[in-house]
Amino acid sequence: MRIDTLVVGAFDENCWFLHDPVAGEGVLIDPGDDADGILRMVGRSGARLTEVWLTHAHLDHIGAIEGVRRAHPDVPVLLHPADLTVYLNAGRVAEAYGLPFEQPELPDAPLAEGEVVRVGSHQFTVWHLPGHAPGHVAFIGEGHCFSGDVLFAGSIGRSDLPLCDPAALADSLGRLAALPPETIVHPGHGIETTIGKERRDNPFLNGAARVLRG
């Protein structure tokens, strides 16, 4: 499996492209902005785009969906249903920030805790990790964790936005902390890291329950 990334938009969001060169298939995770750049990344791989996976529906993670859909109208967009309210209100949030944004049409299929999703011969398990957003998920498998905005290198996702839940975020961080230390974390913003490094160096992960629960 190969993993490409493109940093997009006003919030420097990481859009990930996972592809299996043998199967010639690939999936996008969180196409947040710059649809043209994302489509070029997909095109360079030579892989056929099969699905779009969303960790959550904040505006900086979904802004390029319609641009991708115009080029690939048959590719389904997958989102946990608990984040549908966030998804439907993204355009209004973008307007409040004064950001250009194209509100995407509804997602095509739901994601669920424990579901197995695939790209070529590789598979990932969906973990529902609420707190930063009610329907936030991570994709975990083969030593990799695509953590969205739950866990960053040296930090964690915000818990003070509308529909955030600090206690749920603490529980979600506890689940991630139990992954093997060599697990590579691919976050929604910033650089890659590992679970072991974050256990050792990230003060929020070390004391997540205490910090977030007060």
Side-chain angles (χ1 to χ4, degrees), residues 177-196:
L179 286 167
E182 65 273 14
T183 303
I184 300 170
V185 177
H186 307 273
H189 304 268
I191 62 172
E192 296 175 359
T193 184
T194 66
I195 291 294

Side-chain angles (χ1 to χ4, degrees), residues 98-117:
L99 295 172
F101 183 80
E102 183 178 7
Q103 177 66 47
E105 297 297 321
L106 290 171
D108 300 290
L111 293 166
E113 165 70 27
E115 179 181 356
V116 175
V117 291

Side-chain angles (χ1 to χ4, degrees), residues 40-81:
R40 285 193 295 270
M41 175 173 65
V42 172
R44 285 193 299 268
S45 74
R48 177 175 63 90
L49 181 62
T50 59
E51 290 182 328
V52 175
W53 302 345
L54 301 178
T55 63
H56 65 299
H58 284 153
L59 67 96
D60 53 326
H61 291 253
I62 67 170
I65 287 175
E66 287 307 298
V68 171
R69 274 176 162 159
R70 281 190 285 273
H72 299 276
D74 297 325
V75 171
V77 175
L78 282 59
L79 175 72
H80 193 286

Side-chain angles (χ1 to χ4, degrees), residues 86-100:
V86 179
Y87 187 96
L88 293 174
N89 283 281
R92 281 191 282 180
V93 176
E95 185 178 0
Y97 277 106
L99 295 172

Side-chain angles (χ1 to χ4, degrees), residues 58-169:
H58 284 153
L59 67 96
D60 53 326
H61 291 253
I62 67 170
I65 287 175
E66 287 307 298
V68 171
R69 274 176 162 159
R70 281 190 285 273
H72 299 276
D74 297 325
V75 171
V77 175
L78 282 59
L79 175 72
H80 193 286
D83 238 38
L84 187 58
T85 296
V86 179
Y87 187 96
L88 293 174
N89 283 281
R92 281 191 282 180
V93 176
E95 185 178 0
Y97 277 106
L99 295 172
F101 183 80
E102 183 178 7
Q103 177 66 47
E105 297 297 321
L106 290 171
D108 300 290
L111 293 166
E113 165 70 27
E115 179 181 356
V116 175
V117 291
R118 294 174 172 82
V119 51
S121 62
H122 306 279
Q123 63 183 39
F124 296 82
T125 301
V126 176
W127 284 22
H128 182 209
L129 299 174
H132 178 69
H136 198 297
V137 302
F139 304 101
I140 297 172
E142 302 190 7
H144 297 271
C145 169
F146 293 86
S147 64
D149 287 4
V150 173
L151 178 63
F152 303 132
S155 189
I156 59 174
R158 290 179 62 174
S159 61
D160 60 341
L161 300 171
L163 301 180
C164 286
D165 183 335
L169 181 58

